[in-house]
Amino acid sequence: MKDYSDYCLLKHNTFGMDVKARRFVEYDSEDELRMLIPTLRGDVLHIGGGSNLLFRGDYDGTVLHSGIKGISVEDEDEESILVRVGAGEVWDDFVEWAVAKGYGGVENLSLIPGEIGASAVQNIGAYGVEAKDVIVLVEAVELQSGQKRCFGTAECDYAYRQSIFKNQFKGKYAVTHVTYRLSKQPSLKLDYGNIRTMLEDKENITIADVRKAIIDIRNAKLPDPKVQGNAGSFFMNPIVCREKFLALQKDYPQMPFYDTDNGVKIPAGWMIEQCGWKGKSLGRAGVHDKQALVLVNLGGATSDEIIRLCDTICKDVFNKFGIDIHPEVNVI
Ligand code: EPU
């Protein structure tokens, strides 16, 4: 277990904010987590890879980070395999492992930054797949009592970028392990965006081909946090009712959209670009020039500068489209 006071969080937030935590603890097992719970005082923030966080300043509380590792096969039959993964494993290491073994289901989620714990909290998603499609069990420890609880997928209340851990149980549980069901006879999901076009020269497309295509798409569009601080998509894509969508479509026939069970999802990145923000900046906070959903730290930006840019964009999108967009990034 690592336990530090006045700990620099620079390495733990991809936006590159130079802030400190009063206390920072990294535990390596469920038992260590339970032992540490009685010592927690004041505010507690559990982080993963720090790729979805914007710190407004120093954190006057305890930042927890899971160092629980391990990928183990729990069960298998002819069609599928159940894999239990420690919350502190890096998400893309798990995807790489699965693809190398030929187990399908997570290849479309290649290169998403962050860790296993966050995949279950955040219901990470990309290219037509969400973590909830493969999660079967989430093991967690209640931070108040130290009690363990297992959540089946249905109990997690999953929806687009939502879960019970972000709503009703926000800050109440630390995820320790996640079990995924992967397929031994993968069915490929190629219908999002230009994945199929990228692979059209290939015969017998494999999950390794899909992973490679997705890595190429992401690398071409998304800025590398090691080069330019950012937290991936800064905003969530809004879901509007069908009437609102049809009215907007009359004015903007070229507007991209995705039908969902709860309404029509409209890409916030497209709306932000329509507002003229793509590649523009306000102070040292910028809008990425290849993907307008991503706000970037142009170098030394303060969180206030990022938030000022975020607020201005939200106002402009509302004035043009009458739609409220909201940050996906957690502002602390
Ligand atoms: N678009 C524009 N201009 C832009 C950005 C997007 O016109 O600047 C248009 C695109 O042309 C496309 C549509 O908007 O027609 C959707 O764009 P894209 O496929 O790039 O996806 P997104 O909606 O912007 C979401 C996820 C991403 C994920 C991609 C691919 C959220 C908040 N973001 O972005 O996730 O990689 O879909 O599935 O849902 C992340 O969470 O950090 C992330 C990168």
Side-chain angles (χ1 to χ4, degrees):
M1 177 143 62
K2 300 187 184 99
D3 192 341
Y4 304 109
S5 302
D6 283 330
Y7 182 80
C8 172
L9 292 169
L10 201 51
K11 276 197 323 227
H12 293 275
N13 76 102
T14 58
F15 245 120
M17 295 294 143
D18 190 3
V19 293
K20 282 192 291 199
R22 182 163 52 75
R23 183 181 177 200
F24 176 90
V25 188
E26 184 175 285
Y27 55 90
D28 296 319
S29 66
E30 220 172 274
D31 284 346
E32 279 190 4
L33 170 60
R34 259 194 291 271
M35 263 162 44
L36 119 91
I37 284 172
T39 73
L40 296 175
R41 307 268 175 276
D43 291 339
V44 173
L45 172 70
H46 203 303
I47 62 167
S51 50
N52 202 33
L53 284 177
L54 177 60
F55 285 105
R56 298 205 76 153
D58 290 345
Y59 187 71
D60 187 21
T62 305
V63 171
L64 293 180
H65 183 240
S66 172
I68 300 179
K69 301 285 189 196
I71 301 180
S72 59
V73 173
E74 297 294 298
D75 200 4
E76 62 185 299
D77 57 25
E78 271 168 29
E79 278 152 30
S80 64
I81 183 154
L82 290 182
V83 187
R84 180 175 183 254
V85 191
E89 288 282 356
V90 170
W91 169 262
D92 195 55
D93 290 351
F94 166 57
V95 178
E96 191 181 24
W97 175 92
V99 170
K101 299 262 183 205
Y103 303 141
V106 285
E107 59 281 359
N108 288 39
L109 305 178
S110 287
L111 216 62
I112 292 189
E115 296 171 359
I116 291 292
S119 75
V121 173
Q122 185 68 11
N123 185 23
I124 57 173
Y127 305 102
V129 175
E130 288 184 311
K132 74 167 173 56
D133 304 334
V134 281
I135 289 175
V136 290
L137 190 77
V138 179
E139 294 167 58
V141 167
E142 196 188 9
L143 287 172
Q144 190 87 44
S145 64
Q147 269 185 353
K148 180 164 177 169
R149 180 165 164 189
C150 292
F151 295 79
T153 322
E155 290 172 283
C156 296
D157 286 350
Y158 282 129
Y160 167 63
R161 297 294 200 270
Q162 293 298 335
S163 75
I164 200 164
F165 308 108
K166 282 184 79 176
N167 295 305
Q168 190 189 341
F169 290 157
K170 186 168 184 194
K172 299 220 175 335
Y173 281 88
V175 172
T176 56
H177 296 87
V178 184
T179 302
Y180 305 88
R181 184 187 298 281
L182 302 178
S183 170
K184 290 184 177 174
Q185 288 129 32
S187 59
L188 304 178
K189 297 214 168 55
L190 307 176
D191 289 328
Y192 188 99
N194 58 343
I195 305 178
R196 200 178 282 280
T197 334
M198 282 187 77
L199 292 168
E200 77 193 345
D201 297 341
K202 289 232 167 231
E203 277 170 42
N204 304 323
I205 302 169
T206 64
I207 53 173
D209 297 325
V210 176
R211 172 168 167 79
K212 183 169 180 314
I214 283 174
I215 289 177
D216 289 347
I217 298 174
R218 291 188 73 100
N219 280 338
K221 273 213 244 178
L222 299 171
D224 179 353
K226 288 191 204 93
V227 178
Q228 194 168 52
N230 75 88
S233 302
F234 193 92
F235 300 96
M236 287 187 278
N237 289 328
I239 295 175
V240 301
C241 65
R242 183 148 286 277
E243 294 71 44
K244 169 92 192 161
F245 163 70
L246 291 172
L248 271 173
Q249 205 185 29
K250 281 208 181 103
D251 294 336
Y252 302 99
Q254 76 289 21
M255 180 171 71
F257 64 94
Y258 306 96
D259 277 312
T260 77
D261 293 343
N262 315 317
V264 184
K265 195 192 273 180
I266 302 182
W270 178 84
M271 292 192 281
I272 296 167
E273 181 172 349
Q274 296 296 308
C275 290
W277 273 109
K278 196 169 185 170
K280 297 281 161 48
S281 57
L282 207 54
R284 290 165 294 179
V287 179
H288 189 50
D289 57 356
K290 299 195 187 75
Q291 164 53 295
L293 200 57
V294 179
L295 301 192
V296 291
N297 179 350
L298 295 171
T302 62
S303 54
D304 283 350
E305 281 176 295
I306 309 265
I307 285 160
R308 192 156 66 94
L309 176 60
C310 159
D311 290 346
T312 313
I313 289 172
C314 290
K315 211 164 69 209
D316 285 1
V317 167
F318 185 79
N319 288 340
K320 193 169 171 69
F321 297 98
I323 295 178
D324 278 317
I325 58 168
H326 299 280
E328 178 185 12
V329 166
N330 227 339
V331 181
I332 306 294

